[in-house]
Structure formats: C-alpha cells, structure tokens
Amino acid sequence: MPNPFIAAIRPFAIALTAVALSAGALAQDYPAKPVRIVAPFAAGTGPDANAREIAAELTKVLGQTVYIENRPGAAGIIGTEVAAKAAADGYTLYIGTTSTLSVVPHLYTKLPFNVEKDFAPVSLLGVLNTGLIANPQVQAKDVAGVLAQLKAKPDSLNTATQGVGSYSHLSGEWFGFSGGTRMSFVPYNSSSPYSDLLAGQVQLMFDGLPAAAGNIRAGKLKLLAITGKARHPAFPDVPTFAEAGLADYAPIAWQGLLAPAGTPQPIVDKLSAAMQKAAQNPELAEKWRQYGGELRGNTPAEFTAFISADRAMWGKVVKQAGVKME
C-alpha cells in the first residue's frame, strides 16, 4: 500500500530538485552579459584603482566584461543602497569596504539598507595595512616618541583625517585609546589631506598606504609603524604597532565583493571561485604588496565571518569614540 506521507511530499521534492537543477544550469551559463560592480567611492581614487584592476582580472577569468560603476557620496551610503536594491541575478555586484560595511552601520541610526540582510558576501578582495604616516619634520622617530610628544603637548601634533567618522579618523581615535593619550584632528571632508601633510600643515595621518607609498619611499613622508602580525615585506624596516607596544591596535582597510541578497548560491560560488583565481595573478598581488597590503580571495563563508568580526571590532571603537552621524 503506498505511503501517504511520501505521496504527499513527492511533488515538493520534485519541485525542489527542479529548482536546484535550474540554479545549476543558470550558474553554468553565467555570465551571459556584462557584469556591473557598484563602487561606493569616486573615480580616480585609490580604492577605485584597486577595484578596476580586480574588475579587469575578473573579466579575464569569467570571459565576460566586468566593469565598475562609481556611485560615491554620503560616506558610501548612496552606492551601497543602489547595490542593496539591485536585482539579485548576479549582474549587479558591489565593492564593500571597511567604512561602508563595518563602520557606517555603527555611525548612523537610520540607513536605507541592512548590511547584514541585504547582501550575500562573495569573497574578500584584499586588505591594506594601516600606517602611522608623518611629515619628515616631526622629530619623533617611532610610536613611543609620538606618544611622548602627544602626552607632553597634545596640540603640538595635528592629525589629518578624511572627515569625521572616516576610516582615518577612527583609526586615529583607536590609536589614542591604545596609547593613553588624546589626538587633535583636522578633518578634510572633500579634499585630500596629503598635500597639507607633505607641506607640514598637519603632522600625522593614519591611513592605508596606496596614496602615501610613493612619497614614503621618496623620503617625502615617513612611516613610523604599520599594522599586521608581522613586518610587511614592502616595508621591512618599519616595525608593527605590536612591536611598538600597542598589541591591541589593529585596524586594516579592506575591499570585498558582494552580491544582493537572494542571488542564487551557485552564482555566488562561481564568483567566489573567480575571485580566488584572480587573486593568484602574481602581478596584481605584487601591486597590493607594494601598497602595504595583500590580495586575498576567500569563500563566501569565510568572508561572512571576516565581515562579522571586523564590524564588531569597529563597533567598539565607534562607541568608545562617541561618534554619531545624522
């Protein structure tokens, strides 16, 4: 006698199998047209250059054009919203960053998206270690010297930032907490602070190194310390913050590839595999190393865990700094 339970669930099983086969076939044919990557930063910036290099490499791996569409503004919120509300078909992707996915959710009480629910993490692209960058006129030769001067004369060293609540600002706040001192910040909301840093109008800055690496190597700026568990091969003579006595100071700038939530998992997996292959390009990897970073692809599960841990870490920093944006 037929089992009524099996008979009842058979149509659902057949339907699920059909969906799975359909998704698998979709992934095999994907991509069948150009893929857009929404970037929440301006064209011509350091993050944009990195993103375009990745897009070019993904174009080679996937055999279909992958291009960057810049949607800057409002601390990355504009571009992030565009990506979050895009069709979940694999043809709109998103470059997430430390600021947009780890910091911004703690700064704003109301956002037009939910970073945990509206995106499907695909793969980390790479990380950039943060440096304590100084004008050569600064007499301090190391972290200990900077902290000693800040404690003796807090306003004698002005620290440039890319605006209140920016990565550079909060990295500076974190340094002050770790070193037991307070910082004097100068925000540059719509212009680069590097011209004033080179001129000595401001003395310090905490940032990833793409924009500063050339001037550091030319001796026009000096790098006093860098984040990371070990000294970076591009700057072997520069100590880590841990070596300098600040073991809990560990900000890193990162970029990662995400898709709108609901994108079929086979497509997400195919994109992740493509990014991991792209990360093996030795020339591209060497560019990231020269910037004080590391090109690094990983799985969707690994990237999800990475974002969660990073977001929690920055939540503590934002809370301690008492920074809130409207």
Side-chain angles (χ1 to χ4, degrees), residues 123-307:
S123 172
L124 185 66
L125 303 185
V127 298
L128 292 165
N129 290 332
T130 297
L132 170 50
I133 307 162
N135 179 279
Q137 297 175 5
V138 173
Q139 294 184 353
K141 297 180 179 180
D142 51 27
V143 168
V146 169
L147 288 174
Q149 184 170 344
L150 285 170
K151 290 175 181 178
K153 297 180 179 179
D155 296 327
S156 64
L157 295 174
N158 290 321
T159 301
T161 78
Q162 290 166 332
V164 176
S166 65
Y167 178 84
S168 54
H169 171 217
L170 292 171
S171 293
E173 293 278 15
W174 190 348
F175 177 81
F177 304 149
S178 297
T181 187
R182 68 179 182 86
M183 313 291 291
S184 179
F185 295 107
V186 180
Y188 289 74
N189 292 307
S190 59
S191 61
S192 171
Y194 279 101
S195 57
D196 279 2
L197 184 61
L198 286 164
Q201 300 300 314
V202 287
Q203 290 73 46
L204 303 174
M205 187 169 179
F206 295 87
D207 201 9
L209 301 180
N215 284 315
I216 290 169
R217 293 192 175 94
K220 296 179 180 180
L221 293 173
K222 58 183 182 180
L223 182 61
L224 301 182
I226 190 170
T227 55
K229 295 180 180 179
R231 293 194 180 198
H232 196 278
F235 302 96
D237 297 329
V238 178
T240 65
F241 284 95
E243 287 181 274
L246 300 184
D248 65 336
Y249 184 73
I252 56 169
W254 56 265
Q255 288 182 314
L257 188 66
L258 301 96
T263 300
Q265 191 61 43
I267 289 180
V268 171
D269 292 339
K270 186 171 186 177
L271 286 166
S272 178
M275 184 56 231
Q276 292 176 66
K277 184 174 182 180
Q280 296 173 9
N281 180 308
E283 294 181 3
L284 191 55
E286 180 58 27
K287 284 186 178 181
W288 280 70
R289 277 192 291 271
Q290 290 301 311
Y291 293 153
E294 179 186 358
L295 191 62
R296 189 193 302 173
N298 61 7
T299 67
E302 290 169 337
F303 187 32
T304 298
F306 175 91
I307 296 173

